[in-house]
Amino acid sequence: MVQSHRIVSLAIMPTLCLGIPWASNVGNSTFGYSNTSFYLHGRPYQMIGGQIDPQRVPREYWRDRLEHAKAMGLNTIFSYIFWNELEPSPGVWDWDGIRGMNDIAAWYQAVQDAGLQAVLRPGGYICGERDWGGMPAWLSQIQNLTVRSNNPQFLEHSDYYFGNLSQQIFKYQVSQGGPILLAQVENEYGQYGSDHAYTAALSALIAKHFNLLQYTNDGGSQTQFPNGPVHGVLAEIDGDPYQGFATRKNSISDPTEMGPSLDGEYYFAGASWILNQASSFSLYMFHGGTNFAFSNGGLNFGQLEAVTTSYDYGAPLDESGRPRELYWELRSAIANYTGKTPNIVQTLPMSNISDVPLRPVATLLEESSGTIKSDSPINMEQLGQSYGYILYRYQAPYGVNISGQLHPGDGPRDRVLVYVNGNKRGVIDATYNPPQNVTIQIVGGDVLELLVENQGRVDYSSPLLDQRKGIIGDVYIGSNLVSPWTIQSYSVPTPPQGLIGKGTNHLPMITVSANSTPVWYKGNFKLDGRVAGTAAADTFLSISGGIKGVLYVNGYNLGKYWTVGPAQSQYIPGAWLREDNEIIVLELEPQVDKELVASGSSERVWYNNPDPDCISCKSANPNP
């Protein structure tokens, strides 16, 4: 059973046995704060922190990343927790994920084993360039539910989420002798709204399930910061500390929100100023990691900007866990301030992989069981699907002859590939302003197929956006309503079972035609020169000849690629490699005159290419 605790408002707490004003004696361990300092076990504690999100990092490398953090001089690890990955369907919990990356309890055990402290950033909304800011896609199907609001349905599901998360990590709170010191309420809510009843209700739910002091984290501008604080909760800032700390000092009138200064997302290279202020901070990110599979989010300020699979973030510890120059600069600044020089952690070399030819072995849009028929299109979430692709198929009855511009519902969500009789006729993509027009003609017997890709639900935007994917509304060709539809989901979290584990030469090679529908490609390679199953075999894998698609290695979904870039290669953890390996690629836009070839390099490749589907239109910032 989950234990319930409520922490008394710090403003009305008496001086405790340590003699520290406003300190909270929580359980057997003491963590608290005064107006100017945090205190841990009775001693002043300055958080020299950095962000690592465990669900972005292969579990096999958690210890390595934490040891690198410690070697740079950090003492506290801040972590987002992604609700959508933990509860992929209502009431269905996945505490494993890809190779154990959802084992949040194991993450905090690793933090404790490394001798580090932790700060919990549980959301439910976390932003973080994740699909819908870490909130589950199925929330969009609950009647009358409004996210990030004082809405009974949203709070009910948030309550359930916090309760289940608490059961996993309760013993890792500082009150139980664990490393977790603080819990964040929401995330940068002041940039989004000003409903203090909502944030107070969320704070109460966190207090119900966790025995932790809390804080809010908001942008440091005068227009954003005042909207976020909660009575009885420590109010903190992120971003520019020069502006933010001044705004915080001048804006807070409620003494229950006051305390030491913390920059919860510190983006700047130089740390000396903030250290010398005796202020706390967390580098965002210390180590970014990877948006594996379909977990990337997007931005929207009038048009979609999808986030890359890579979440390198230019962090001190790069996506592969190797220190870059910034790491050593920060390490030097921290050592000069603390007077302590930690031991350096060994960095292993990266691996190269020779060219691996990929052969076309199957098509995606084959007829299969499980299709749904409907007069109007049904959105992705209604079918219990959160990610991937959804196909809408219409066969024109004899006697039909219509032509004109195609209108897929209320607009592209997010990228619509248009096929007539199995031949691609165009692409309508929300990342372009305006999206391209596609004009088609349909006569009796023709088959119109619309394959819609979810490129990532928006995690940060100016308006409150409808996050449903697929086609919303009816489809028209010119002024002609198109109906009925046969609908098929292609969530493709893994490749088809018939392709996994079979040597490429044992699969029939198919012929790719011009303007073909999506095709599965496969290749095999042996790992040379590095030890399989270790970080020494890490590599960055490029797919030359590919336009847009998904990369799978040994059955694991490594994420999306797109020729437009900027990332032209994908991080492949060596821990996920074997002596004999298979690469499977779902190429959405196969080219009849191009062979697909995979190759691994010790260096990531960054550059941009024009989108062959959109030569004449302007891209906002098209990323996979």
Side-chain angles (χ1 to χ4, degrees), residues 125 148 184-196 198-199 216-230 236 238 460:
Y125 169 80
R148 304 189 74 187
Q184 181 177 311
V185 179
E186 238 266 2
N187 186 75
E188 299 178 326
Y189 181 73
Q191 300 181 32
Y192 177 82
S194 58
D195 185 353
H196 294 283
Y198 159 59
T199 49
T216 54
N217 196 82
D218 290 289
S221 74
Q222 191 61 51
T223 57
Q224 296 173 354
F225 179 81
N227 296 329
V230 177
E236 299 292 4
D238 63 22
Y460 192 91

Side-chain angles (χ1 to χ4, degrees), residues 296-464:
N296 69 284
L299 308 177
N300 192 304
F301 296 95
Q303 67 190 99
L304 176 67
E305 297 180 41
V307 175
T308 57
T309 293
S310 170
Y311 201 62
D312 182 280
Y313 216 86
L317 201 67
D318 73 14
E319 186 180 358
S320 71
R322 274 72 182 178
R324 48 171 46 104
E325 184 177 350
L326 178 58
Y327 179 97
W328 303 111
E329 292 175 0
L330 288 167
R331 184 175 184 272
S332 177
I334 294 169
N336 288 338
Y337 175 75
T338 63
K340 300 176 182 178
T341 304
N343 294 329
I344 295 175
V345 177
Q346 179 185 9
T347 299
L348 297 174
M350 298 283 288
S351 178
N352 294 309
I353 297 174
S354 301
D355 288 355
V356 181
L358 303 176
R359 300 171 66 240
V361 292
T363 59
L364 176 68
L365 306 185
E366 297 174 344
E367 282 289 349
S368 60
S369 60
T371 58
I372 293 175
K373 295 186 177 181
S374 175
D375 289 338
S376 297
I378 297 174
N379 62 281
M380 183 179 285
E381 295 80 2
Q382 280 182 284
L383 301 180
Q385 180 184 355
S386 295
Y387 312 106
Y389 311 87
I390 185 168
L391 177 71
Y392 301 88
R393 180 182 287 116
Y394 163 77
Q395 183 162 14
Y398 288 101
V400 167
N401 188 338
I402 55 177
S403 62
Q405 182 179 333
L406 179 67
H407 300 279
D410 64 359
R413 298 194 184 194
D414 301 318
R415 184 174 175 93
V416 184
L417 286 83
V418 182
Y419 306 95
V420 176
N421 299 329
N423 295 305
K424 190 176 77 171
R425 302 297 297 274
V427 175
I428 308 173
D429 193 315
T431 63
Y432 299 105
N433 188 16
Q436 284 198 134
N437 296 327
V438 174
T439 299
I440 58 174
Q441 180 179 18
I442 300 292
V443 299
D446 283 348
V447 175
L448 169 65
E449 293 173 308
L450 307 178
L451 182 66
V452 183
E453 177 186 3
N454 171 5
Q455 296 196 91
R457 292 176 184 81
V458 173
D459 72 283
Y460 192 91
S461 66
S462 45
L464 178 65

Side-chain angles (χ1 to χ4, degrees), residues 237 241-249 261-263 273-274 279:
I237 62 103
Y242 301 94
Q243 176 194 40
F245 287 161
T247 298
R248 175 180 180 269
K249 180 179 179 181
S261 296
L262 164 65
D263 191 329
W273 181 86
I274 197 168
S279 298

